[in-house]
Amino acid sequence: MDTTQLFGYIGALLVGLVLGLIGGGGSILTVPLLVYLLGYNPVIATAYSLFVVGTTSMVGTFQKYKKGLVDFKTGLAFSFPSFIAVYLLRRYLVPGIPNTLFNVGNLTISKEMGIMVFFAIIMVLASYAMIKNKKEHDNLQIKQPYYKTFIQGLIIGTITGIIGAGGGFLYVPALVIWANISIKKAVGTSLIIVTINSLIGFIGDVQTLDIEWVFLLSFTLISVIGIILGVFLSKFISSKKLKKSFGFFTLIMAIYIIFKETSE
């Protein structure tokens, strides 16, 4: 194992840790890790990210469920429109995107560049939500009409389908603000949505891509170890403070991705 692979596997452990601690952000680490450190094409990287984050989140869901921190009814309500959008995008839209999107002067905007820049823009928005860290609403547990949940799930599913993310970094604030559940329960509930979204999205990718299963399974196994550790550590660490810190890290990563993609 060379140094690059070693750092890649350390990164896999961090992916699981982040998912276990804050219920999202796994793909924020996974995609840049696979693209910039391990040299994978962004389309492959986003596909692998779905499998890694989905499988890891499934283990995390079980861990959180044992602590009573998963609202299955709310989670399934959000995941139904989301996984439809994610599957259709990964199966039909992403493979159909032309290799060259358009030209701006001497700059050619390729499919890979477009995916990574869009990913970075979503990271900027996610970092703002994490840094701002709105106070959660503990007062009235008002359930919104399902059509609103359906539309919200469809929008987030569309975004995460393009960037190959489970969407936990989008679902945690959505569950707190729209579903009126506590931050701790939102973290646990987001994991079931991420699991369903990611694995069904990956099924769409399997039909169009060649998968390196040995690497993918070993990377995922280390990430699973990370989430088990992360869920355990979440008992001792403030999720709000951690989310804010990770928000600043996400913002830095987003700026780096935009700079790297547009300067080449």
Side-chain angles (χ1 to χ4, degrees), residues 138-154:
D138 286 329
N139 42 17
L140 297 175
Q141 298 295 306
I142 302 170
K143 297 296 180 183
Q144 67 177 356
Y146 183 66
Y147 78 88
K148 289 186 178 179
T149 301
F150 188 92
I151 293 169
Q152 291 154 0
L154 204 61

Side-chain angles (χ1 to χ4, degrees), residues 15 33 36 47 50 60 94 101-102 105 122 209 213-214 230 238 245 247 258:
V15 168
L33 190 67
Y36 300 122
L50 288 172
V94 173
L101 297 177
F102 53 88
I122 298 302
L209 300 172
W213 285 106
V214 174
S238 166
S245 300
I258 292 170

Side-chain angles (χ1 to χ4, degrees), residues 23-35:
S27 55
I28 286 173
L29 291 173
T30 307
V31 173
L33 190 67
L34 291 170
V35 172

Side-chain angles (χ1 to χ4, degrees), residues 163-226:
I163 65 176
F169 61 93
L170 297 172
Y171 276 112
V172 171
L175 289 166
V176 171
I177 296 166
W178 295 330
N180 292 302
I181 61 179
S182 69
I183 184 70
K184 284 191 174 292
K185 187 162 274 191
V187 168
T189 303
S190 75
L191 289 174
I192 188 173
I193 306 172
V194 170
T195 299
I196 295 169
N197 278 7
S198 301
L199 295 181
I200 290 179
F202 181 72
I203 290 170
D205 282 313
V206 167
Q207 299 170 70
T208 59
L209 300 172
D210 293 322
I211 308 297
E212 293 179 29
W213 285 106
V214 174
F215 164 76
L216 185 56
L217 291 173
S218 59
F219 190 95
T220 303
L221 177 62
I222 294 171
S223 183
V224 166
I225 293 169

Side-chain angles (χ1 to χ4, degrees), residues 242-257:
L242 189 70
K243 191 179 290 290
K244 195 166 188 176
S245 300
F246 189 70
F248 282 110
F249 172 77
T250 300
L251 181 61
I252 293 166
M253 284 292 296
I255 294 167
Y256 171 78
I257 291 171

Side-chain angles (χ1 to χ4, degrees), residues 25-230:
S27 55
I28 286 173
L29 291 173
T30 307
V31 173
L33 190 67
L34 291 170
V35 172
Y36 300 122
L37 182 63
L38 299 176
Y40 283 93
N41 176 288
V43 176
I44 296 287
T46 54
Y48 285 9
S49 171
L50 288 172
F51 183 82
V52 172
V53 174
T55 305
T56 306
S57 296
M58 182 166 55
V59 175
T61 300
F62 178 70
Q63 296 284 103
K64 294 286 187 181
Y65 175 71
K66 290 192 295 184
K67 301 174 186 295
L69 295 175
V70 178
D71 183 337
F72 276 100
K73 187 176 179 181
T74 301
L76 292 173
F78 270 92
S79 66
F80 174 65
S82 290
F83 77 68
I84 293 173
V86 172
Y87 175 79
L88 292 175
L89 281 158
R90 299 304 300 185
R91 176 67 179 88
Y92 299 107
L93 189 140
V94 173
I97 297 173
N99 289 326
T100 300
L101 297 177
F102 53 88
N103 294 300
V104 180
N106 294 324
L107 178 65
T108 298
I109 309 298
S110 66
K111 174 180 180 176
E112 289 77 14
M113 182 191 293
I115 289 173
M116 292 307 296
V117 171
F118 182 64
F119 185 87
I121 291 168
I122 298 302
M123 285 172 69
V124 170
L125 297 175
S127 69
Y128 172 76
M130 287 186 278
I131 292 167
K132 194 172 183 182
N133 229 343
K134 286 184 178 180
K135 293 180 180 179
E136 60 178 288
H137 308 285
D138 286 329
N139 42 17
L140 297 175
Q141 298 295 306
I142 302 170
K143 297 296 180 183
Q144 67 177 356
Y146 183 66
Y147 78 88
K148 289 186 178 179
T149 301
F150 188 92
I151 293 169
Q152 291 154 0
L154 204 61
I155 292 169
I156 298 178
T158 300
I159 294 169
T160 58
I162 294 172
I163 65 176
F169 61 93
L170 297 172
Y171 276 112
V172 171
L175 289 166
V176 171
I177 296 166
W178 295 330
N180 292 302
I181 61 179
S182 69
I183 184 70
K184 284 191 174 292
K185 187 162 274 191
V187 168
T189 303
S190 75
L191 289 174
I192 188 173
I193 306 172
V194 170
T195 299
I196 295 169
N197 278 7
S198 301
L199 295 181
I200 290 179
F202 181 72
I203 290 170
D205 282 313
V206 167
Q207 299 170 70
T208 59
L209 300 172
D210 293 322
I211 308 297
E212 293 179 29
W213 285 106
V214 174
F215 164 76
L216 185 56
L217 291 173
S218 59
F219 190 95
T220 303
L221 177 62
I222 294 171
S223 183
V224 166
I225 293 169
I227 199 168
I228 292 170
L229 185 59

